[in-house]
Each structure stands twice: as C-alpha cells, then as structure tokens.
Amino acid sequence: MLRQISEDVRVNLKDRLREVRDIIRQSRHDGSGEASALREATSRLPPFPGKGIEGLLSHAASAFDEALSIAESFVPHERPIKVDGTTVKGLGTYFPTGNEERQLSAERLFRRDMYYLTKAVLAELKIDNARILEADFAAVHATMRKRHGDLLAALVAPDAGLQAIAATCAALLVELLNQRPVRFAETAPETPAIGGRALDISCLAPVVLACGLATTGRDGAPEPDMLEIAILAADIRHDRIVQACGKASPVEELIPVFATLLAHLP
C-alpha cells in the first residue's frame, strides 16, 4: 500500500515538473512562446525601473532550461530510446495476471508507453502545446482492472480471439476518453465533435489500435511502422469511431469497429 502511494506521488510530481518545464520553454528568449508567456508572467508585477525586463526574464528562462537539460543528461531515464511501432506492447503485457509486484510493473510500463506513444501521435498530427498527464494513464489502468476484469480475463484465456481483443480495445478507448489524459491549449485545431471528443479520439484511438495490433501478433515482433499504420487507419474510421463513442453503450458500439480494423490491418 505504501509503495503504491509512493508511486502515485512520483507520477504526479513528474507531471507537475513537465508542466513547469513547458512554461519555462515557452518563455525562452529564442522561443516562439516568449511574448505571450512573458506578458502573462509580468502583467501582475509592479512597474519596473528601467527597460528590458522581458528580455532579462526570457534569458533567465533560457539559462534555467539549459541547466535542466544538462542535469537530465546525468539522470537515467525510463523513456524508450526511439518511439515507433516497436514501442507498443500487447494488451496482455499491460494487463497481465499475477501478484501485486507484476501488476505494479505492468502499470508502470503501461503509463510510460502510453505517454510516449501519445506524444508521438500528437507530433504526427502536428498538435502543439498539448499537455499529457501520465497520472491519468495510471488512473485508466486501475479503472480497466476494476471495471473490466471480465474482458481482461477473456483476453488472456487460451482460446482468446479477435473479439476479445476488440472488446478490450473498445473499453480502453472509452476509459481513456473519460479520463482525458491529453489537455489541449486554446490554440488547438478546431474539430467538429459529438460531445467535444473528436480531437481526443484523433490522439487516443491510434494508440489503442496499435495495442490491439500488437496483441494479435500475426507477424511476430512489432514493426516500426505499426504506429503509423494505426494513425492512418484510425483517421479513415474517425467519423465512425466518433459516432460510436456518442452512443449510450459506446463499448458495444466500438467492438465491431475495432474487430474490423484488427482483422484487415497487417
């Protein structure tokens, strides 16, 4: 119990530090976010005797950002060396059976992979200034185990088939959308949506589909382009996924969508 509390504190601290780091980077003297970030930072300050305070603050932010980068280089990271289709693991790896130690390791792997895979999808979609909260992925993992234990049990059964994988993918996408681990800036691209979820679906559905493809494992080891394939396929079926998520029973509506995709994608 104490170990889990310690893990939760660590994950939330990482999210807060990432948020601070993003603010600092927006305030760099050589960055595009300088003007707006500095105006906001200095708007509440009393009149400063002399000119150039914004320039001083932005150079200080640059120096601090570079100092953090140097410090990071000396600290071991859990991040993958390269984020592509080979980063994705099967759903059975993220939601295994076993003791508490194995569950904790699986949860840690899940939130790490989901964070970096979502970040890669955002980059591919050219969505800037979105924050990803790793703690929300941890919450999704816990919710999946609590609410969808029957689906996870069917997933690891010896006779598990495509329907079991599709059902788990459907439940995972719904829980991700409920938790909303991606927080968009006001400048995020406008997308028509049912319930305002279309943009979230664009970012999260490819990750879920990639997990499903890795679970089918028809071609052995994951391919580097698996994530790219998932992004393209989710985009093609985007409207159908949005419609399914807007229904009263979204999991049931999403199962045939994922089953079709998993059956026809390589």
Side-chain angles (χ1 to χ4, degrees):
M1 180 67 178
L2 290 176
R3 182 174 180 180
Q4 183 60 51
I5 293 174
S6 176
E7 188 76 9
D8 292 343
V9 171
R10 189 172 75 89
V11 173
N12 280 281
L13 180 59
K14 284 169 65 178
D15 284 337
R16 299 289 81 75
L17 288 174
R18 283 173 177 145
E19 183 177 355
V20 171
R21 185 67 178 275
D22 287 342
I23 293 173
I24 291 172
R25 283 180 170 166
Q26 290 173 20
S27 302
R28 287 181 63 97
H29 74 283
D30 53 356
S32 60
E34 171 191 348
S36 59
L38 286 172
R39 277 197 297 269
E40 182 178 351
T42 58
S43 61
R44 300 180 183 86
L45 295 176
F48 187 76
K51 298 180 179 180
I53 184 173
E54 290 190 358
L56 289 173
L57 289 175
S58 62
H59 278 81
S62 298
F64 190 51
D65 183 30
E66 289 164 4
L68 285 176
S69 297
I70 293 172
E72 278 186 335
S73 66
F74 293 101
V75 180
H77 294 287
E78 294 181 357
R79 70 183 63 175
I81 297 174
K82 184 179 180 182
V83 180
D84 55 23
T86 60
T87 306
V88 186
K89 314 295 188 301
L91 292 166
T93 301
Y94 294 132
F95 301 99
T97 57
N99 57 26
E100 183 180 352
E101 182 71 25
R102 190 177 183 190
Q103 301 299 334
L104 188 60
S105 296
E107 182 267 336
R108 189 181 298 116
L109 180 65
F110 173 80
R111 58 177 166 77
R112 184 205 73 167
D113 285 357
M114 294 302 102
Y115 175 86
Y116 287 107
L117 289 167
T118 303
K119 192 173 183 180
V121 172
L122 288 170
E124 186 69 23
L125 297 177
K126 296 180 173 54
I127 297 176
D128 299 321
N129 299 326
R131 291 192 299 115
I132 308 171
L133 300 182
E134 194 173 324
D136 286 344
F137 289 118
V140 168
H141 190 275
T143 301
M144 285 291 295
R145 300 201 63 83
K146 182 177 180 180
R147 293 182 183 172
H148 305 289
D150 54 337
L151 297 180
L152 299 180
L155 184 68
V156 298
D159 58 344
L162 201 62
Q163 284 296 117
I165 299 173
T168 305
C169 286
L172 179 57
L173 179 58
V174 169
E175 297 304 341
L176 284 168
L177 292 174
N178 288 339
Q179 192 65 37
R180 299 199 70 184
V182 183
R183 310 297 167 84
F184 301 100
E186 293 180 0
T187 55
E190 293 290 335
T191 306
I194 294 176
R197 288 183 165 186
L199 190 54
D200 298 82
I201 290 169
S202 295
C203 301
L204 297 170
V207 178
V208 174
L209 180 57
C211 291
L213 291 172
T215 308
T216 60
R218 290 190 293 268
D219 298 323
E223 295 293 334
D225 61 352
M226 182 182 293
L227 184 60
E228 182 180 349
I229 291 172
I231 293 173
L232 293 173
D235 181 60
I236 292 172
R237 302 299 293 163
H238 182 265
D239 290 344
R240 179 68 183 89
I241 296 173
V242 170
Q243 292 172 6
C245 290
K247 300 293 184 180
S249 302
V251 174
E252 286 76 7
E253 295 287 338
L254 285 167
I255 290 175
V257 179
F258 278 110
T260 301
L261 291 170
L262 293 172
H264 292 91
L265 290 174

